[in-house]
Amino acid sequence: MPPLIPRAAALSQPWCHSCSTAPSLLRAFSTTRYTLKYGPESPKFIEVPQPLQSRPPPKRRIKGILPVPREIFARRRPTSLTPEYFAKVTPEPSAPGRNAELSGEQGEFVAWKRRMAAARRRNLREGLRGLYHRKKQTDRTVAARSAFKTAERQRLLHEPEREDVRLTSPSVHPSLLQFQKGSLPDPNRAQHIAEKVAAVQAKQTEKAEERKDHLHSLYMHARDFITTEEQLNEAIERIFVTHPWEFVDGDEGENIWNTGVPESVATMLSKAAVMEKGSVSQHEGIAVLTDRRVKRIAEELTGGKMDSPKPRR
């Protein structure tokens, strides 16, 4: 084994020809960072001043997802760590078993299994007591924190305005302040409410009467509804006759050639609203107007709809 070279001698001796011939770079004694140790590709090659305030530590990234903890003491059922509860959760062996009389290695194995079962029962009972105690303590802490936050919020809401805020706040008219805080005072509020209630009741009564009127009109018109095949055949035989221009039983019949074109929806609406002012309505006979007025008077007296009279010729 060759002899070791002393450290001072090894540092003083040049290792290559270029190193021995290159000029020595001497650095002055200073606390300034030596930037030549970073290459041009390094982001630290150009020194950027850092702020005096320390940056917050980076948030540690925890990989993976923790499972949701099991709710041991559910709220939907009462929890009481009583001996009966422990007897159901960790039952004791009911009988010694068939292997109770074994000896030797088998007996030692059976005894070891019994000791392990007893240890599991004991650990489960102690664990349940500890978890229950921790749950109660956590519930008390959460309730105390919630009560403190609620009391603090109520205190801040009802806290009087500070003097500096009152003196520096802009001037606002008291009426605007009252409007911002809530509704304006109304000395006749009870009377206005009674009037609104009466108006609503009158509107509901009017709607109920209109609904009854429509129901009665439907009942009156339901007598002419065609619901069976016999009624359909009878209506066809009555309307589609061989000689429509002839009279049927002293009447002109229900054929369209005799009764004319049926009224349109616009015509019926205009008659109901008394908005039609055409030449036909102006020259309408007095008998038609009289029949219409009599029919309306009869409906008002009887409280229901009546059949429309047949037009006079």
Side-chain angles (χ1 to χ4, degrees), residues 7-294:
R7 180 177 181 82
L11 295 176
S12 61
Q13 294 179 1
W15 290 94
C16 60
H17 179 71
S18 60
C19 295
S20 60
T21 56
S24 60
L25 300 176
L26 299 179
R27 182 182 178 186
F29 179 76
S30 175
T31 58
T32 306
R33 182 180 299 176
Y34 184 51
T35 58
L36 294 179
K37 65 180 180 179
Y38 301 112
E41 69 279 356
S42 176
K44 297 182 180 180
F45 182 75
I46 300 176
E47 185 175 0
V48 179
Q50 301 292 334
L52 299 179
Q53 185 179 3
S54 61
R55 295 183 178 181
K59 187 177 180 180
R60 183 181 177 185
R61 181 183 177 185
I62 301 177
K63 298 182 180 180
I65 299 176
L66 295 177
V68 180
R70 180 183 176 185
E71 187 179 7
I72 301 177
F73 307 103
R75 298 181 179 180
R76 60 179 179 270
R77 62 175 182 271
T79 304
S80 57
L81 301 182
T82 58
E84 293 79 9
Y85 176 77
F86 284 122
K88 294 180 180 179
V89 176
T90 56
E92 296 289 343
S94 57
R98 296 178 301 176
N99 301 328
E101 304 298 334
L102 296 178
S103 59
E105 295 182 358
Q106 294 182 356
E108 294 179 359
F109 178 72
V110 172
W112 173 78
K113 291 185 64 176
R114 292 177 181 174
R115 290 195 301 269
M116 293 299 296
R120 286 193 297 269
R121 288 191 294 268
R122 183 177 62 257
N123 295 338
L124 181 58
R125 294 170 184 173
E126 294 177 358
L128 287 175
R129 292 192 184 95
L131 291 175
Y132 187 73
H133 176 71
R134 186 174 65 179
K135 175 181 178 299
K136 287 295 183 181
Q137 186 176 2
T138 304
D139 293 345
R140 286 193 297 267
T141 304
V142 171
R145 188 185 297 113
S146 177
F148 173 76
K149 289 183 178 180
T150 304
E152 184 69 14
R153 179 178 179 275
Q154 294 295 330
R155 185 185 66 81
L156 294 176
L157 286 176
H158 299 86
E159 187 179 14
E161 188 178 16
R162 299 199 311 267
E163 188 66 17
D164 56 344
V165 176
R166 187 184 66 84
L167 295 176
T168 57
S169 60
S171 301
V172 184
H173 197 269
S175 60
L176 296 179
L177 291 177
Q178 181 65 24
F179 181 74
Q180 293 177 357
K181 291 181 181 178
S183 59
L184 296 177
D186 187 6
N188 301 325
R189 183 171 180 271
Q191 180 180 357
H192 292 167
I193 292 177
E195 293 177 357
K196 296 294 183 181
V197 171
V200 171
Q201 292 179 355
K203 191 66 175 178
Q204 295 294 335
T205 305
E206 182 181 355
K207 288 183 179 180
E209 293 295 335
E210 185 178 1
R211 192 179 298 109
K212 292 180 181 178
D213 189 13
H214 292 169
L215 183 61
H216 192 270
S217 301
L218 178 62
Y219 171 73
M220 295 296 294
H221 295 153
R223 294 182 299 178
D224 299 332
F225 289 171
I226 298 176
T227 58
T228 61
E229 187 176 354
E230 291 76 8
Q231 295 178 356
L232 177 61
N233 296 333
E234 182 182 355
I236 292 175
E237 293 294 337
R238 184 175 64 253
I239 296 176
F240 297 95
V241 295
T242 307
H243 304 288
W245 55 87
E246 295 179 356
F247 294 95
V248 179
D249 296 336
D251 198 356
E252 297 182 357
E254 301 178 7
N255 194 276
I256 191 173
W257 297 102
N258 297 328
T259 59
V261 181
E263 292 182 343
S264 62
V265 177
T267 306
M268 290 188 291
L269 290 177
S270 62
K271 286 184 178 180
V274 196
M275 295 175 58
E276 187 179 9
K277 299 299 180 181
S279 59
V280 178
S281 61
Q282 292 179 1
H283 296 281
E284 193 175 27
I286 189 63
V288 179
L289 183 60
T290 303
D291 292 341
R292 192 180 303 166
R293 290 177 178 177
V294 171

